[in-house]
Amino acid sequence: MVAMIGSGNVAYHLSRALNGKTEVRMVNPRTLEGLPGKPDIILIAVTDTAIREVAEKLKGTEALVAHTSGSIGLEALNGISSHIGVFYPLQTFTKGIDPDYSEIPILIEGSDPETSEKLKSLAHLFTARIEDADSEKRRKLHLAAVFACNFTNALAGISRDILAESGIDFSLLLPLMKQTVKKLEILTPKEAQTGPAVRGDRQVIESHLAMLESKPEAKEIYAKISHLISSKSSKP
Amino acid sequence: MVAMIGSGNVAYHLSRALNGKTEVRMVNPRTLEGLPGKPDIILIAVTDTAIREVAEKLKGTEALVAHTSGSIGLEALNGISSHIGVFYPLQTFTKGIDPDYSEIPILIEGSDPETSEKLKSLAHLFTARIEDADSEKRRKLHLAAVFACNFTNALAGISRDILAESGIDFSLLLPLMKQTVKKLEILTPKEAQTGPAVRGDRQVIESHLAMLESKPEAKEIYAKISHLISSKSSKP
């Protein structure tokens, strides 16, 4: 039996992913209401800053205890149980929008091989994409995810602002964004790169910069990323 | 009958989209080999700089003549035919990777209402997403698409570089990128924004900037986009 401590998006979606595949009990992170007597695994799916506080309350448990954070080390759980681990889902979670659970990568770290294996078996209940990852690997993945997810979303925000001024519907861009990601299943980003910067089309770039005159931050970002693209494409 | 002039990705994919729905003849853009005697519509699907040269060879045709470019005005076809237009597919095309043709937005401009209607009917054969768009609207969409497509791909390139150094497989990020786009079907980019910048998590941001010490361009882009996100999230 899995005890899922948390009330946020990660707890919600991990419990949905496991729903019908193993017994999951939702546990209130403040009161620990709902915590069963003898859980096999306790997942602490709370914000980074609350992990230690929740863990302290579990001290001495016989269960395997793991947290679900990409940026917190395994050592945050030191002394809580003799079997501690990390069960990090590399996904952006929002309530009401279900991802395809079967393709979420789960990054696993365990204090011992048996713990790792148990966490992997848990992940296997809903996904086939499971990898070992120590703190360093999780840190790198988290940084890469900021570019690929958080910053991609911010660029979409710039696009939306540009279109909204002229009353143009942002959703026109969604098929293009979907395809941009789909291409990366087959091509490297360098191979997949299109647009004025990689073509060295100065005329289009200058006209775009002029259109961004009233948006100094977007204009700077346009110039920086265009420069990055053209400097990369000129290298072998 | 549609004559599709071009040998690149746009010509290839538009002809695939129309395949089995109307008769399409592929026409060599240099020799015009393949051009039928009396086509109803001629689509000039060549690079921006070649449009005028190809158009000149068609002067006096009775067919409707349209180009497929987002950044070239309708006037590039002035004097070629009495019915000229633009048929702009807002999509990134790569040979061998088929997008879902039924959701490609087609932006239409015609020299007269009858021309617009004919081009819309052609688009309707494969997609339901059809809008009128003059040069100004196409220019805005093109700029927005550079952020949403070309720059998103460039950010994925940064992610890939970060991971490659440690031998971590970039494809771990693809489910996350897919979901980032999927969320935008339901939420605005501002609502969908997650990550350290929108949370104001200076500790994570500083540690990420330190990890990017050896990548000055990526580091500057990280700082600029993080600043944009935090300044936007602090506004009502």
Side-chain angles (χ1 to χ4, degrees):
Chain A
M1 186 201 298
V2 176
M4 181 80 67
I5 305 184
S7 53
N9 286 316
V10 176
Y12 171 84
H13 281 289
L14 285 182
S15 70
R16 275 182 74 83
L18 291 165
N19 186 27
K21 286 156 185 163
T22 187
E23 198 183 339
V24 181
R25 296 272 180 86
M26 297 303 290
V27 180
N28 183 303
R30 273 165 300 274
T31 62
L32 293 197
E33 201 187 313
L35 190 66
K38 287 209 172 278
D40 303 301
I41 297 178
I42 301 176
L43 290 183
I44 306 179
V46 301
T47 51
D48 289 2
T49 46
I51 290 173
R52 187 68 207 176
E53 193 191 328
V54 170
E56 286 292 345
K57 297 183 197 157
L58 301 168
K59 220 165 187 164
T61 178
E62 281 172 27
L64 188 173
V65 178
H67 72 66
T68 60
S69 166
S71 32
I72 300 291
L74 175 63
E75 65 279 4
L77 302 179
N78 275 349
I80 302 302
S81 158
S82 45
H83 299 289
I84 57 175
V86 180
F87 187 93
Y88 170 45
L90 187 60
Q91 185 52 279
T92 172
F93 292 116
T94 308
K95 268 180 190 160
I97 307 178
D98 289 355
D100 181 348
Y101 297 115
S102 72
E103 54 173 43
I104 297 180
I106 301 288
L107 288 303
I108 300 283
E109 186 176 7
S111 52
D112 53 279
E114 191 197 335
T115 299
S116 293
E117 281 316 309
K118 271 196 187 165
L119 290 172
K120 285 181 188 176
S121 299
L122 184 66
H124 257 304
L125 294 176
F126 62 89
T127 182
R129 198 76 213 254
I130 298 161
E131 296 209 7
D132 292 299
D134 58 13
S135 295
E136 183 58 20
K137 183 169 171 182
R138 286 201 310 277
R139 251 160 49 94
K140 294 258 183 183
L141 276 164
H142 188 231
L143 173 59
V146 168
F147 280 97
C149 168
N150 305 155
F151 289 179
T152 287
N153 185 74
L155 294 183
I158 295 175
S159 298
R160 189 175 190 272
D161 290 346
I162 292 167
L163 297 179
E165 285 175 356
S166 307
I168 306 170
D169 182 2
F170 171 73
S171 74
L172 283 168
L173 290 178
L174 289 176
L176 180 63
M177 293 192 73
K178 251 191 234 177
Q179 190 65 8
T180 301
V181 177
K182 199 175 159 194
K183 279 165 72 172
L184 294 173
E185 292 172 4
I186 297 163
L187 305 175
T188 67
K190 191 175 171 177
E191 290 165 344
Q193 190 64 57
T194 55
V198 74
R199 287 198 308 273
D201 191 335
R202 286 306 308 172
Q203 205 178 327
V204 168
I205 292 172
E206 292 303 331
S207 107
H208 282 171
L209 290 172
M211 288 167 79
L212 292 168
E213 213 48 75
S214 65
K215 297 186 174 55
E217 285 195 292
K219 187 180 172 185
E220 265 193 277
I221 291 166
Y222 186 102
K224 294 269 176 234
I225 302 183
S226 291
H227 184 266
L228 178 79
I229 294 170
S230 55
S231 67
K232 285 213 170 195
S233 65
S234 61
K235 284 176 207 156
Chain B
M1 186 201 296
V2 176
M4 183 80 68
I5 306 184
S7 53
N9 286 317
V10 176
Y12 171 83
H13 281 287
L14 285 181
S15 72
R16 273 180 75 84
L18 291 165
N19 186 29
K21 287 155 185 165
T22 187
E23 197 182 340
V24 181
R25 296 273 180 86
M26 297 304 289
V27 181
N28 183 303
R30 274 165 300 274
T31 61
L32 294 196
E33 202 185 312
L35 189 67
K38 287 208 172 280
D40 303 302
I41 296 177
I42 302 177
L43 290 182
I44 306 179
V46 300
T47 52
D48 289 2
T49 45
I51 290 174
R52 186 68 207 176
E53 192 191 329
V54 169
E56 286 292 346
K57 296 184 197 156
L58 302 169
K59 218 166 189 164
T61 177
E62 282 172 25
L64 187 173
V65 179
H67 72 65
T68 61
S69 167
S71 32
I72 299 291
L74 177 63
E75 65 278 4
L77 301 178
N78 276 349
I80 301 304
S81 158
S82 44
H83 299 289
I84 59 176
V86 180
F87 186 95
Y88 170 47
L90 186 61
Q91 186 50 282
T92 173
F93 291 117
T94 308
K95 267 179 192 161
I97 307 179
D98 289 354
D100 181 349
Y101 296 115
S102 71
E103 54 172 43
I104 297 179
I106 301 288
L107 288 303
I108 300 282
E109 186 177 8
S111 53
D112 54 279
E114 193 196 335
T115 300
S116 292
E117 281 315 309
K118 271 196 187 166
L119 291 173
K120 285 180 188 176
S121 300
L122 182 67
H124 256 304
L125 293 176
F126 62 90
T127 182
R129 197 76 211 254
I130 298 162
E131 296 209 7
D132 293 298
D134 57 12
S135 295
E136 184 57 20
K137 183 169 171 181
R138 286 201 308 279
R139 253 160 47 95
K140 293 258 183 183
L141 277 164
H142 188 230
L143 174 58
V146 168
F147 280 96
C149 167
N150 305 154
F151 288 178
T152 287
N153 185 75
L155 294 183
I158 294 175
S159 298
R160 189 175 190 273
D161 289 348
I162 291 167
L163 298 180
E165 286 175 356
S166 308
I168 306 170
D169 183 0
F170 169 73
S171 74
L172 283 169
L173 291 178
L174 289 176
L176 180 62
M177 293 193 73
K178 252 192 231 175
Q179 189 66 8
T180 301
V181 176
K182 199 174 161 196
K183 280 166 70 173
L184 295 174
E185 290 173 4
I186 296 164
L187 305 175
T188 66
K190 192 175 170 176
E191 291 165 343
Q193 190 65 56
T194 55
V198 75
R199 288 198 307 272
D201 191 336
R202 286 306 310 170
Q203 204 177 330
V204 169
I205 292 172
E206 292 304 331
S207 107
H208 283 170
L209 289 172
M211 287 167 79
L212 292 168
E213 213 47 76
S214 65
K215 296 186 174 55
E217 285 196 292
K219 187 181 173 186
E220 265 194 274
I221 291 166
Y222 186 103
K224 294 267 176 237
I225 302 183
S226 290
H227 184 267
L228 178 79
I229 293 171
S230 53
S231 66
K232 285 212 169 196
S233 65
S234 62
K235 282 176 206 157

